[in-house]
Amino acid sequence: MKKRVRFILLCSTLVGLLLAPLAQVEAAPPGIHTNAVGATLIDVESGRILYSQKGDTPMRIASLTKIMTAIIAIEQGNLNDKVKVSKNAFGKEGSSIYLKLGEEMRLHDMLYGLMLRSGNDAATAIAEHIGGSIDGFVYLMNEKAKMLGMDHSHFTNPSGLDEGEGHRSSPNDMAKLTAYALNNSVFQDIVSTKLKKVPNPNEAWDYSWLNKNKMLSLFEGADGVKTGYTKLAKRCLVSSATKDGHQLAVVTLNDPDDWGDHARLLQYGFTYYPLQTIVRKGDAVEGTTDVVSRNFSYPLAEGEAALVKRKVTLADPATASYRLGERGTLQITLKDAIIGTIPIYEKTSPLLQSASQSTFSFQQGEAYKETLLSHYGYVFRLLVRELFMISESEWAD
């Protein structure tokens, strides 16, 4: 009798499990191996980190540094400005685009030499032009790192050369920086270019720069980003690829098989974390007469869609945001972690026409939020640069 009861209970349990909603079963993606000391896979649109290996460990990053150099130059500089090559830039060691002393080149053109050929001479010239000096530019680099929440990074030069012991970043930090930079169309255009020709004032022929990033030819859909190598950092690589509107980026530090590892990680991300639309611009917000202000997509593993929740918070009519047209926010969570907060508007609001479609965001670093002096120092540095723009060599007699 007891055996029969136990058998019936066992059968009931099995039936219950079989009848349980399949959507609640979360199938974790399989593990994946790399040859890198540190590695990170990130979804560019959302900033979600999909894979991380020693993600927060500061390491040497070689010429991956130039991702930071490029995005600062694009954001802070005038792309049509002429950048003059100083003695310091002309004599810079390591990889070079062989700029001549005193040569002038458009900033936009020089950025191609920086990113495609990893010119240390270009990095130095750009840094002096944007920051007024190398020290001024390094200040901007570290301020930008704080703004992006790159809490395990410190920059000491614009090129990534092994100069001193303090120049470091982590795989996760470089992934954050890359995702941020790829949301800039100028940066994306540069790093996805395989071959660039630029006017050469010294010769009858143009400069011709072939991108060192072999991933652009090795992986279908590849569209960036940067190679790096020094004797101490070893092989470093950041790559990106887009399939059906879904862009992923990979960072590997000290990886002897970086091309192979990047191909595997990118395919892993596309296979196991497809980008899924959570809400669309204009969707009705339940319980209100309002609508969602923009699209929101997020990479989700199998079973995670059932764990996504939505919460509406209505704006107080007495607040400034309400008077400006916002009627509240739609908060989206995954496993109780907030993955998106989207403003909601009235159906007829003109704000719907201008609402951004990008879902990318970053967490501002605590140190940056807490230090107002850093903010005003940053503004002061830009003001001094614009007013004086005097290189160190010009001060010398």
Side-chain angles (χ1 to χ4, degrees):
M1 182 67 180
K2 290 182 179 179
K3 288 183 179 180
R4 184 179 298 176
V5 171
R6 284 200 298 270
F7 178 74
I8 292 172
L9 290 173
L10 177 60
C11 289
S12 299
T13 301
L14 290 173
V15 170
L17 289 173
L18 290 171
L19 294 178
L22 294 177
Q24 298 299 322
V25 178
E26 182 184 349
I32 187 169
H33 168 75
T34 78
N35 298 282
V37 173
T40 298
L41 168 66
I42 192 169
D43 175 73
V44 170
E45 184 172 357
S46 67
R48 184 184 187 184
I49 291 177
L50 308 177
Y51 170 83
S52 183
Q53 175 182 327
K54 291 191 176 180
D56 289 330
T57 302
M59 305 179 197
R60 296 181 187 272
I61 57 172
S63 287
L64 304 190
T65 300
K66 289 164 183 156
I67 297 171
M68 177 66 88
T69 301
I71 193 61
I72 290 176
I74 291 167
E75 292 182 342
Q76 301 295 337
N78 182 332
L79 295 176
N80 289 314
D81 276 356
K82 294 286 187 177
V83 179
K84 189 172 183 178
V85 180
S86 70
K87 183 178 180 180
N88 187 32
F90 169 70
K92 206 62 184 175
E93 62 182 288
S95 57
S96 175
I97 57 173
Y98 306 104
L99 297 169
K100 303 294 185 183
L101 179 63
E103 179 178 347
E104 293 186 348
M105 181 182 289
R106 221 171 47 116
L107 174 60
H108 199 179
D109 292 337
M110 194 174 284
L111 284 166
Y112 281 92
L114 175 78
M115 298 304 287
L116 273 61
R117 298 305 299 170
S118 203
N120 292 334
D121 48 356
T124 304
I126 289 169
E128 291 175 337
H129 176 77
I130 298 295
S133 67
I134 296 297
D135 287 344
F137 191 78
V138 167
Y139 176 86
L140 298 180
M141 296 174 82
N142 287 309
E143 287 300 295
K144 192 69 175 180
K146 291 175 186 176
M147 290 175 68
L148 293 175
M150 297 171 66
D151 299 327
H152 305 282
S153 301
H154 181 72
F155 296 91
T156 63
N157 65 70
S159 62
L161 286 169
D162 293 321
E163 299 173 338
E165 294 299 317
H167 192 89
R168 298 286 191 279
S169 189
S170 70
N172 285 355
D173 279 3
M174 289 306 299
K176 289 179 188 177
L177 172 63
T178 300
Y180 172 83
L182 285 170
N183 275 269
N184 182 290
S185 60
V186 174
F187 181 90
Q188 177 71 84
D189 287 345
I190 292 172
V191 299
S192 63
T193 299
K194 291 184 179 181
L195 176 65
K196 179 68 175 179
K197 292 185 180 294
V198 169
N200 184 346
N202 307 302
E203 306 290 348
W205 56 86
D206 290 340
Y207 285 110
S208 184
W209 296 323
L210 182 66
N211 201 322
K212 291 184 177 183
N213 182 8
K214 294 181 181 179
M215 287 298 294
L216 294 175
S217 300
L218 291 175
F219 191 87
E220 184 180 357
D223 48 20
V225 174
K226 186 73 187 73
T227 61
Y229 176 83
T230 67
K231 289 182 180 179
L232 296 179
K234 308 301 182 187
R235 293 178 65 92
C236 300
L237 180 64
V238 175
S239 70
S240 64
T242 303
K243 288 189 176 182
D244 299 323
H246 185 193
Q247 189 174 33
L248 300 175
V250 174
V251 178
T252 55
L253 303 180
N254 192 349
D255 187 351
D257 186 27
D258 46 13
W259 307 123
D261 283 339
H262 278 243
R264 286 189 291 273
L265 282 168
L266 287 169
Q267 191 57 53
Y268 175 87
F270 287 127
T271 300
Y272 294 106
Y273 288 93
L275 192 65
Q276 299 186 38
T277 301
I278 308 299
V279 294
R280 296 185 183 277
K281 181 177 179 179
D283 281 354
V285 177
E286 187 177 355
T288 75
T289 58
D290 304 317
V291 297
V292 176
S293 63
R294 60 176 171 82
N295 299 339
F296 181 82
S297 300
Y298 203 74
L300 296 172
E302 185 179 353
E304 285 188 328
L307 304 176
V308 173
K309 297 179 181 178
R310 301 166 178 80
K311 178 183 177 182
V312 177
T313 302
L314 298 179
D316 184 340
T319 62
S321 60
Y322 188 93
R323 291 195 295 272
L324 290 172
E326 187 174 305
R327 293 298 174 259
T329 57
L330 176 66
Q331 187 181 85
I332 302 172
T333 60
L334 173 64
K335 303 176 188 176
D336 297 323
I338 298 172
I339 60 174
T341 302
I342 307 170
I344 59 177
Y345 302 138
E346 293 179 354
K347 290 180 181 179
T348 57
S349 173
L351 294 173
L352 283 173
Q353 304 304 317
S354 59
S356 170
Q357 291 303 298
S358 173
T359 64
F360 179 84
S361 62
F362 60 88
Q363 293 297 317
Q364 191 179 63
E366 290 297 326
Y368 192 84
K369 286 191 287 187
E370 292 172 0
T371 310
L372 287 174
L373 184 60
S374 294
H375 171 71
Y376 290 112
Y378 177 69
V379 174
F380 180 72
R381 166 61 63 183
L382 294 179
L383 179 61
V384 170
R385 188 205 71 178
E386 293 297 326
L387 287 175
F388 298 101
M389 282 297 291
I390 300 176
S391 69
E392 293 174 352
S393 61
E394 289 175 316
W395 283 105
D397 189 340

